[in-house]
């Protein structure tokens, strides 16, 4: 059973990936400081998988604490690095917080990987590295544009850092950079999902919280874009499909020479905000309260992925639809209400 260090493994994408790792025969060693997740997620992963988990409550920027994990597990076969802050708006208000956490955690992790001869790393990157591409769908060959936020800049810096490590003679870290488009949905069990603290910035949790009566109304940010119905287009990908790509990426790293390769992870299809709302209403049977509003500063008009490279080289493709993702997101919201799980 290959042991894989999973930083941020209690978070939204990390928890779903831990489930997929276990069902594919890997043993995740989870490290999380629970700054944006709850310790109870660990038990929920155990319930879904019927396996006991090894987990550590520590901060990945703390080299002494993280070294202990490497000491405890000299047989680590690789790492997946999810741990980071991810709120674009907050990163504009508090850039240092983002530079410190997102860049230092990767520096500490890669230093320890070198020291302990752990070669393979899967890194959580983001479509935000592209800005507004001129040609759609966006491929990995599309040139990056200047980052629109400190958060986006941290992803560009981390990608560059890993690229440099893959070529250096004295560095051994080989990496796959996974550029996620818009991850949504939840595990079909309803036991794990996205749990934003405070008022959600992202569309789907805002929709489900509004439908559940926790928010009065959703504001659709902009109705005058050059898209089919005037609202922004994004590539919404089910988090379970996304999680499965991490397993494929680990296998790819194990089978190939040292590298630093980027892959888009999306469905290849763009949907407008209004299409998402209509689909949500259809699958939930709930009429959503929403109003058209001003554009949100910093939003790109439209972006969706070409996932051809991941289809071809990782032998991965999405299997779940927007309907599936919104059904699971709604089921997750209803389960949260049932169990009163907002702060456990
Ligand atoms: P999340 O906040 O749910 O998960 C991140 C986890 O990392 C949390 O459990 C948090 O407690 C933990 N963490 C943060 N800093 C830490 C530190 N220094 N030490 C230990 N643990 C720490 O976020 P997510 O949506 O699961 O995102 C995971 C990764 O994917 C992030 O790197 C994020 O930037 C990237 N990403 C997310 C999205 C998205 O829309 N969700 C899109 C593109 C990329
Ligand atoms: C989606 C669409 C909004 C809320 C962000 C990050 C990106 C990546 C994924 C991390 C947009 C519209 C939203 C609302 C709305 N994360 N919207 N009303 O901005 O595409 O991407 O998450 O790497 O870096 O920027 O996602 O869910 O915020 O917005 O109309 O209340 O929904 O304008 O068109 P976004 P989102």
């Amino acid at each position: 059973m290959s042991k894989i260090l999973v930083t941020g493994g209690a978070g939204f994408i990390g928890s779903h990936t831990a489930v997929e790792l276990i069902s594919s025969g890997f043993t995740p060693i989870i490290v999380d400081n629970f700054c944006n997740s709850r310790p109870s997620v660990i038990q929920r992963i155990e319930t879904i998988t019927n396996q006991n988990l090894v987990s550590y409550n520590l901060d990945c920027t703390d080299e002494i604490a993280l070294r202990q994990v490497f000491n405890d597990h000299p047989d680590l076969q690789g790492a997946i690095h999810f741990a980071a802050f991810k709120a674009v708006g907050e990163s504009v208000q508090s850039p240092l917080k983002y530079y410190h956490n997102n860049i230092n955690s990767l520096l500490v992790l890669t230093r320890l990987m070198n020291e302990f001869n752990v070669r393979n790393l899967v890194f959580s990157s983001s479509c935000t590295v592209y800005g507004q591409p001129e040609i759609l769908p966006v491929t990995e060959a599309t040139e990056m544009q200047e980052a629109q936020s400190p958060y986006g800049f941290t992803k560009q810096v981390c990608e560059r850092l890993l690229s440099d490590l893959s070529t250096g003679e004295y560095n051994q870290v080989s990496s796959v950079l996974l550029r996620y488009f818009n991850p949504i949905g939840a595990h079909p069990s309803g036991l794990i999902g996205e749990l934003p603290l405070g008022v959600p910035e992202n569309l789907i949790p805002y929709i489900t919280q509004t439908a559940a009566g926790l928010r009065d109304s959703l504001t659709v940010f902009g109705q005058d874009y050059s898209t089919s119905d005037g609202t922004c287009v994004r590539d919404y990908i089910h988090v379970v499909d996304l999680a499965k790509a991490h397993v494929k990426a680990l296998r790819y790293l194990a089978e190939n020479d040292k590298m630093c390769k980027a892959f888009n992870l999306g469905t290849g299809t763009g949907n407008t905000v209004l299409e998402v709302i209509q689909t949500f209403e259809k699958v939930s049977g709930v009429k959503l309260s929403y109003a058209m509003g001003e554009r949100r500063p910093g939003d790109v008009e439209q972006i969706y992925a070409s996932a051809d490279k991941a289809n071809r080289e990782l032998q991965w493709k999405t299997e779940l639809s927007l309907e599936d993702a919104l059904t699971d997101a709604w089921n997750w919201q209803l389960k949260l209400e049932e169990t009163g799980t907002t702060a456990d």
Side-chain angles (χ1 to χ4, degrees):
M1 299 272 267
S2 283
K3 272 191 197 172
I4 306 295
L5 178 66
V6 182
T7 75
F12 174 43
I13 306 168
S15 57
H16 290 81
T17 302
V19 169
E20 294 305 323
L21 285 171
I22 292 167
S23 65
S24 306
F26 290 90
T27 303
I29 307 295
I30 292 183
V31 164
D32 205 299
N33 65 356
F34 305 106
C35 63
N36 198 36
S37 54
R38 290 174 173 75
S40 58
V41 170
I42 303 293
Q43 285 93 58
R44 288 162 178 249
I45 299 169
E46 290 179 332
T47 305
I48 294 170
T49 58
N50 202 20
Q51 294 254 333
N52 289 329
L53 276 181
V54 178
S55 65
Y56 293 80
N57 179 352
L58 63 82
D59 188 324
C60 294
T61 63
D62 180 344
E63 187 162 343
I64 294 170
L66 194 58
R67 175 174 279 109
Q68 189 56 49
V69 180
F70 281 81
N71 274 323
D72 288 352
H73 304 280
D75 50 347
L76 282 176
Q77 300 292 305
I80 310 180
H81 186 47
F82 293 105
F85 293 141
K86 62 165 181 177
V88 177
E90 186 192 44
S91 80
V92 176
Q93 304 302 316
S94 309
L96 256 187
K97 178 177 167 179
Y98 277 68
Y99 294 135
H100 173 76
N101 197 40
N102 295 8
I103 299 173
N104 272 355
S105 60
L106 182 65
L107 281 174
V108 167
L109 175 66
T110 49
R111 200 150 52 215
L112 289 169
M113 288 177 71
N114 263 330
E115 188 181 324
F116 286 83
N117 292 315
V118 179
R119 195 187 77 138
N120 296 333
L121 175 66
V122 179
F123 175 71
S124 293
S125 190
S126 167
C127 65
T128 198
V129 298
Y130 294 119
Q132 173 66 73
E134 275 163 25
I135 299 171
L136 291 169
V138 58
T139 73
E140 294 80 355
T142 303
E143 245 180 75
M144 286 186 196
Q145 297 182 21
E146 196 180 331
Q148 295 293 302
S149 68
Y151 167 76
F153 187 54
T154 67
K155 292 298 175 190
Q156 291 182 343
V157 170
C158 288
E159 286 204 0
R160 172 63 196 266
L161 191 156
L162 289 171
S163 165
D164 289 352
L165 288 194
S166 71
T167 54
E169 194 185 335
Y170 299 105
N171 295 302
Q172 63 148 348
V173 176
S174 182
S175 52
V176 160
L177 318 173
L178 297 180
R179 294 178 180 159
Y180 314 151
F181 279 64
N182 286 54
I184 61 165
H187 195 265
S189 64
L191 284 170
I192 53 173
E194 192 172 10
L195 202 50
L197 303 173
V199 181
E201 277 193 22
N202 296 117
L203 179 64
I204 307 311
Y206 210 105
I207 287 179
T208 57
Q209 290 193 9
T210 305
L214 301 174
R215 315 265 157 221
D216 291 339
S217 175
L218 170 83
T219 303
V220 176
F221 296 141
Q223 54 180 322
D224 56 353
Y225 287 103
S226 301
T227 60
S228 59
D229 59 24
T231 65
C232 290
V233 168
R234 296 288 183 274
D235 186 336
Y236 297 94
I237 173 171
H238 197 302
V239 65
V240 171
D241 274 334
L242 190 72
K244 288 181 177 166
H246 294 74
V247 176
K248 300 277 191 178
L250 283 173
R251 294 210 169 112
Y252 186 78
L253 281 163
E255 287 161 8
N256 286 282
D257 294 338
K258 191 165 116 178
M259 69 174 103
C260 176
K261 259 197 191 182
F263 294 94
N264 288 342
L265 295 183
T267 64
T269 303
N271 286 105
T272 66
V273 177
L274 290 179
E275 284 167 354
V276 173
I277 292 172
Q278 281 150 16
T279 310
F280 175 79
E281 288 181 332
K282 189 177 102 193
V283 301
S284 67
V286 176
K287 192 98 195 80
L288 193 76
S289 160
Y290 68 91
M292 307 308 286
E294 295 297 308
R295 291 183 175 198
R296 180 172 67 176
D299 265 344
V300 299
E301 178 174 283
Q302 45 185 323
I303 184 163
Y304 52 95
S306 160
D308 291 353
K309 189 175 170 193
N311 297 165
R312 210 175 43 243
E313 295 189 37
L314 299 181
Q315 315 214 316
W316 166 90
K317 64 176 173 47
T318 54
E319 289 164 354
L320 299 165
S321 64
L322 182 63
E323 282 85 353
D324 295 326
L326 294 173
T327 302
D328 290 334
W330 182 230
N331 179 40
W332 163 243
Q333 180 68 49
L334 292 176
K335 284 254 165 55
L336 285 178
E337 297 302 302
E338 259 170 46
T339 54
T341 313
T342 46
D344 66 331

